[in-house]
């Protein structure tokens, strides 16, 4: 199993509060991702990082920010949580290596977030 | 933009039945193609992948062939088991090669 740890694994929070999810990897992979999983939508990319302090937006980035100050950690922050952000959040990692394409993305076990 | 369409579920089969889950994609160029599996309460695991046309990915009895002509990557297994019950996701690598684009997932339920 890829060395990916997400925390917290489960969280209930109130609307309007800030929330930070943490992803920690032990693989020294360059790329890190945050996806959200919702019924009927599959997985959708929120943000990703291609190196320390290098991040880019995904398909559903509104309302989320990210930071990567170290290779091993990628933080996802909901500045002011809303009920529409109730979801399961997955961190993933990848090392594109030579050539780039076709490299596997490995997923963490998920963080269940409920915004009430 | 790039997208993935996979058959809607749930798919309900008896043990030892033949499985096909259809997946087609829309993309510029020839992206790498993947199937991931998610067991209840867990993250996604790579099941198989193919990186160029006519490649066949295989793992645990599952197979899928990269069909450029039909832009498809259908997942098949000759004889499913109860332990194969899970959600299956088809995915393509985006044009920049920086992330995966997923289908909505197909739930498979196998009964004994």
């Amino acid at each position: 199993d890829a060395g990916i740890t997400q925390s917290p694994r489960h969280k209930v929070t109130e609307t309007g509060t800030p929330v930070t999810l943490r992803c920690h990897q032990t693989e020294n992979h360059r790329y890190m991702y945050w996806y959200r999983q919702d019924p009927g939508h599959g997985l959708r990319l929120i943000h990703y990082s291609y190196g320390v302090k290098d991040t880019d937006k995904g398909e559903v980035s509104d309302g989320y920010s990210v930071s990567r100050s170290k290779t091993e950690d990628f933080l996802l922050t909901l500045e002011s949580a809303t009920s529409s952000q109730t979801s399961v959040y997955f961190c993933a990692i990848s090392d594109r290596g030579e050539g780039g394409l076709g490299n596997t993305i490995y997923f963490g076990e998920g963080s269940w977030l409920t915004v009430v | 933009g790039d997208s993935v369409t996979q058959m809607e579920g749930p798919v309900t089969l008896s043990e030892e039945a033949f499985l096909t889950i259809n997946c087609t994609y829309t993309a510029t160029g020839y992206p790498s193609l993947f199937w991931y599996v998610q067991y209840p309460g867990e993250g996604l695991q790579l099941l198989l992948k193919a990186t160029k046309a006519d490649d066949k990915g295989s793992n645990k009895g599952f197979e899928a062939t990269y069909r450029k002509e039909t832009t498809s990557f259908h997942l098949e297994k000759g004889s499913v088991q109860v332990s194969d019950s899970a959600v299956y996701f088809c995915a393509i690598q985006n044009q920049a090669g920086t992330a995966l684009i997923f289908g909505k997932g197909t739930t498979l339920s196998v009964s004994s």
Side-chain angles (χ1 to χ4, degrees):
Chain A
D1 288 342
I4 306 170
T5 304
Q6 293 186 227
S7 60
R9 295 291 312 282
H10 298 271
K11 185 173 182 66
V12 180
T13 192
E14 293 185 349
T15 299
T17 61
V19 177
T20 295
L21 305 180
R22 178 178 183 249
C23 179
H24 178 80
Q25 60 144 331
T26 58
E27 306 297 323
N28 200 37
H29 280 1
R30 179 183 174 192
Y31 283 77
M32 298 186 75
Y33 308 83
W34 279 106
Y35 283 87
R36 61 177 288 175
Q37 183 179 20
D38 304 288
H41 291 278
L43 277 84
R44 294 178 291 176
L45 181 65
I46 304 171
H47 282 279
Y48 70 97
S49 169
Y50 48 96
V52 173
K53 297 186 180 179
D54 292 324
T55 65
D56 206 350
K57 296 179 179 181
E59 177 187 359
V60 289
S61 59
D62 287 348
Y64 301 95
S65 63
V66 290
S67 66
R68 191 165 178 204
S69 59
K70 297 184 290 184
T71 298
E72 58 267 34
D73 290 326
F74 192 35
L75 304 181
L76 176 71
T77 298
L78 291 65
E79 300 290 348
S80 177
T82 67
S83 58
S84 65
Q85 294 176 311
T86 293
S87 186
V88 184
Y89 292 86
F90 287 97
C91 175
I93 64 174
S94 173
D95 187 354
R96 293 178 66 194
E98 296 276 338
L101 300 181
N103 284 309
T104 300
I105 291 181
Y106 299 94
F107 284 82
E109 295 187 334
S111 293
W112 274 254
L113 177 66
T114 302
V115 183
V116 297
Chain B
D2 297 352
S3 65
V4 177
T5 302
Q6 61 182 107
M7 64 186 289
E8 295 187 15
V11 174
T12 303
L13 296 173
S14 297
E15 204 164 25
E16 299 183 3
F18 184 85
L19 168 70
T20 299
I21 300 178
N22 291 334
C23 172
T24 57
Y25 65 91
T26 301
T28 303
Y30 305 108
S32 296
L33 308 177
F34 303 80
W35 277 101
Y36 278 81
V37 59
Q38 183 181 33
Y39 299 102
E42 298 184 8
L44 278 72
Q45 304 173 26
L46 177 68
L47 182 59
L48 53 85
K49 72 178 184 181
T51 58
K52 60 182 186 295
D54 300 325
D55 264 4
K56 177 185 284 187
S58 62
N59 186 25
K60 299 181 181 180
F62 291 88
E63 294 182 339
T65 301
Y66 192 141
R67 301 292 187 195
K68 181 180 65 175
E69 304 81 12
T70 55
T71 61
S72 64
F73 193 53
H74 304 322
L75 182 69
E76 297 182 336
K77 186 175 186 182
S79 176
V80 295
Q81 305 301 310
V82 172
S83 58
D84 293 327
S85 298
V87 182
Y88 292 81
F89 292 91
C90 184
I92 66 173
Q93 198 153 23
N94 66 359
Q95 188 176 2
T98 52
L100 293 183
I101 299 168
F102 286 87
K104 294 182 179 181
T106 302
T107 300
L108 171 64
S109 178
V110 181
S111 58
S112 57

